Amino acid sequence: MTLEIVTETTTTTARQLSLVILCFFFFVCVCFEREKRKKMALKLNQITFPSIHNLPSQPRSVRSHRVLMASTLNSISTKEVQNLKKPYFPPQEVPVQVTHSMPPQKKEIFKSMENWAEDNLLTLLKPVEKCWQPQDFLPEPESDGFYEQVKELRERARELPDDYFVVLVGDMITEEALPTYQTMINTLDGGIRDETGASLTPWAIWTRAWTAEENRHGDLLNKYLYLSGRVDMKHIEKTIQYLIGSGMDPKTENNPYLGFIYTSFQERATFISHGNTARLAKEHGDMKLAQICGIIAADEKRHETAYTKIVEKLFEIDPDATILALADMMRKKISMPAHLMFDGQDDNLFENYSAVAQRIGVYTAKDYADILEFLVGRWKVEKLTGLSGEGRRAQDFVCGLPPRIRRLEERAQGRVKDASSTAPFSWVFGRELKL
């Protein structure tokens, strides 16, 4: 009896001891986890999260707060950063976008235009063997005189001011974002898009060949700027990558009526811009650069002819829908292709670049009004007849717009400008330029 009591007591004591040990182990684990969380919290407290209330009201001109959060994780270990990684978001975002605004029944209009496109667009393309190539205007790397040719190019480039190079770089970056523009055209409804990547419809053939011709522009300017030694190529390359990643918002809504009005305006704008950089290069004594900008401008003029012909045909076939589309684009205002430009530093880079272009006379508000006036005349908008009531109102709006834009520009020019307004440009090694 006594032995049984002792045995039972010993068993009970062992169970109690095991329970105590288990509780102690659990307590140690809890304390260890709390300490680990405290350390992580201290590290996370070092991160500055921007408040949405402090962000500017225009979403497309600011960097995404999601990207900013990722960029402030410098104090965290590599392993922790991997655990906290966020998906990529473009630094410039377009919050509200409209898609597929063209009525489905309009698709047949563009299908019926395919034979016309073959006869009137594809004939404006040049055979590759007859096209100029960037190497035609650059030092010959296989030549014994290559280094001397580069030296001469750099000597001519020394005579050009920084503000000229900022505008030339901006034009080049706009050209280098060509993948975005081909993508935009291939979003258009109505049988315009290249459905396979090698479609043999006239619309698809035009888009690919137009892209191929345009591709030479960015290649030529990029190589020239690299050889000039006057610009920071690393920051320029970053700007190109940011811009292609951000895309563009032309407000064309997958609608070919809007899309071809936009491209007509833009080809005219790039023709003017490259023509003015050619003129300024000549004034500064760089005849080779003037030739480069001039040959690019000539291409843009030929492409302008193609796109304006398309809209002219639409006015002939469907004047009411076309004038409504033109008025719609002008109310929304034509945005420049590189309006989401960013270099990793300046949230207002496009606005600052545009201000320099305006100041030195490469592309101005007056040019914008002149382009609209040119297109209104080219398409004989004032002479349109048989329009609906809404169409006539759109006609009056569009025809009266160029004088209004000019009056606004004159008032803006009449205001006293702040001569101290400057901004640094990473493209020219962070030097401050007058805006």
Side-chain angles (χ1 to χ4, degrees):
M1 183 70 176
T2 304
L3 181 60
E4 291 176 355
I5 295 172
V6 170
T7 303
E8 184 178 344
T9 303
T10 303
T11 303
T12 303
T13 303
R15 287 175 180 171
Q16 290 175 342
L17 182 60
S18 297
L19 183 61
V20 169
I21 292 171
L22 183 62
C23 291
F24 177 77
F25 179 77
F26 178 77
F27 175 77
V28 169
C29 289
V30 169
C31 291
F32 178 80
E33 186 64 22
R34 284 180 178 175
E35 189 65 21
K36 184 178 177 182
R37 290 182 180 179
K38 283 182 181 179
K39 289 180 179 179
M40 178 62 74
L42 286 172
K43 289 181 178 181
L44 290 175
N45 283 338
Q46 297 171 12
I47 304 173
T48 303
F49 295 91
S51 168
I52 60 172
H53 301 293
N54 296 328
L55 292 173
S57 59
Q58 294 295 330
R60 70 181 67 177
S61 64
V62 294
R63 296 169 60 192
S64 165
H65 65 278
R66 286 167 287 196
V67 175
L68 283 173
M69 288 167 62
S71 68
T72 55
L73 300 177
N74 297 328
S75 61
I76 301 178
S77 69
T78 304
K79 186 175 181 180
E80 289 166 338
V81 167
Q82 290 173 349
N83 293 333
L84 293 171
K85 272 184 177 178
K86 301 293 183 184
Y88 172 82
F89 289 96
Q92 307 281 20
E93 298 179 358
V94 180
V96 179
Q97 301 178 55
V98 179
T99 59
H100 306 290
S101 64
M102 185 181 75
Q105 62 270 23
K106 297 289 186 182
K107 178 178 179 179
E108 292 306 315
I109 290 178
F110 293 92
K111 184 68 178 173
S112 71
M113 289 174 62
E114 287 190 353
N115 289 337
W116 176 91
E118 184 173 348
D119 294 338
N120 291 272
L121 299 184
L122 303 190
T123 53
L124 288 172
L125 295 166
K126 286 187 175 183
V128 174
E129 296 303 323
K130 293 185 178 180
C131 283
W132 61 265
Q133 297 300 331
Q135 191 52 51
D136 296 336
F137 304 94
L138 296 167
E140 301 171 359
E142 74 281 6
S143 166
D144 291 338
F146 173 70
Y147 294 107
E148 189 62 34
Q149 293 169 26
V150 172
K151 182 180 177 182
E152 290 173 3
L153 184 154
R154 292 167 74 94
E155 287 174 352
R156 293 193 304 268
R158 286 196 194 102
E159 303 303 317
L160 296 163
D162 278 344
D163 49 13
Y164 178 88
F165 271 104
V166 161
V167 174
L168 190 64
V169 167
D171 284 356
M172 181 272 281
I173 289 169
T174 302
E175 297 284 356
E176 289 281 57
L178 183 61
T180 298
Y181 315 144
Q182 184 178 21
T183 299
M184 188 275 284
I185 294 176
N186 279 331
T187 67
L188 299 179
D189 295 330
I192 303 300
R193 67 174 62 92
D194 185 344
E195 296 286 357
T196 67
S199 170
L200 293 179
T201 68
W203 297 115
I205 293 171
W206 163 262
T207 299
R208 291 196 304 271
W210 167 80
T211 302
E213 289 191 354
E214 288 277 339
N215 187 61
R216 299 167 302 148
H217 303 172
D219 282 354
L220 176 53
L221 291 174
N222 194 317
K223 290 172 182 174
Y224 168 84
L225 287 164
Y226 170 79
L227 292 172
S228 76
R230 287 290 307 274
V231 295
D232 188 329
M233 289 304 300
K234 178 70 175 289
H235 277 98
I236 291 170
E237 289 159 354
K238 284 170 61 178
T239 307
I240 295 168
Q241 185 174 351
Y242 273 122
L243 180 57
I244 295 174
S246 293
M248 66 183 291
D249 179 31
K251 299 182 177 66
T252 50
E253 304 171 7
N254 310 102
N255 185 329
Y257 287 85
L258 302 177
F260 289 132
I261 288 168
Y262 180 85
T263 50
S264 296
F265 197 102
Q266 277 305 321
E267 292 288 5
R268 180 76 180 176
T270 52
F271 160 66
I272 290 171
S273 181
H274 288 301
N276 283 327
T277 53
R279 172 180 56 81
L280 290 173
K282 185 177 180 180
E283 289 176 6
H284 287 286
D286 193 335
M287 301 306 295
K288 195 69 174 180
L289 180 56
Q291 185 184 17
I292 287 172
C293 296
I295 200 72
I296 293 174
D299 267 3
E300 304 291 9
K301 180 64 177 173
R302 182 162 46 85
H303 296 159
E304 172 208 312
T305 299
Y307 287 116
T308 54
K309 274 190 169 188
I310 297 172
V311 179
E312 183 178 40
K313 187 65 175 178
L314 288 173
F315 269 117
E316 178 187 320
I317 297 172
D318 192 4
D320 211 61
T322 309
I323 187 60
L324 290 173
L326 178 57
D328 181 37
M329 285 305 298
M330 297 317 301
R331 286 192 179 97
K332 292 184 292 192
K333 297 182 182 177
I334 301 290
S335 59
M336 298 298 106
H339 67 114
L340 298 180
M341 185 183 284
F342 181 58
D343 63 348
Q345 299 178 9
D346 186 357
D347 290 329
N348 300 311
L349 179 58
F350 179 75
E351 288 77 8
N352 293 336
Y353 149 67
S354 299
V356 176
Q358 165 89 20
R359 179 172 60 79
I360 69 172
V362 168
Y363 186 75
T364 67
K366 179 182 178 300
D367 292 323
Y368 186 95
D370 288 346
I371 292 170
L372 177 57
E373 188 172 63
F374 170 83
L375 294 175
V376 166
R378 173 77 170 77
W379 295 326
K380 300 180 175 60
V381 175
E382 291 182 345
K383 298 178 181 179
L384 292 175
T385 58
L387 300 173
S388 66
E390 190 179 6
R392 287 193 299 274
R393 288 189 292 274
Q395 181 184 36
D396 292 340
F397 168 75
V398 169
C399 292
L401 198 53
R404 287 176 55 196
I405 295 173
R406 287 201 180 90
R407 285 196 296 272
L408 290 172
E409 168 62 10
E410 288 170 4
R411 290 174 191 169
Q413 292 295 328
R415 297 191 190 103
V416 178
K417 292 184 178 179
D418 181 4
S420 64
S421 179
T422 63
F425 284 87
S426 64
W427 304 338
V428 287
F429 306 98
R431 289 193 284 272
E432 294 267 346
L433 295 184
K434 181 181 175 183
L435 300 180

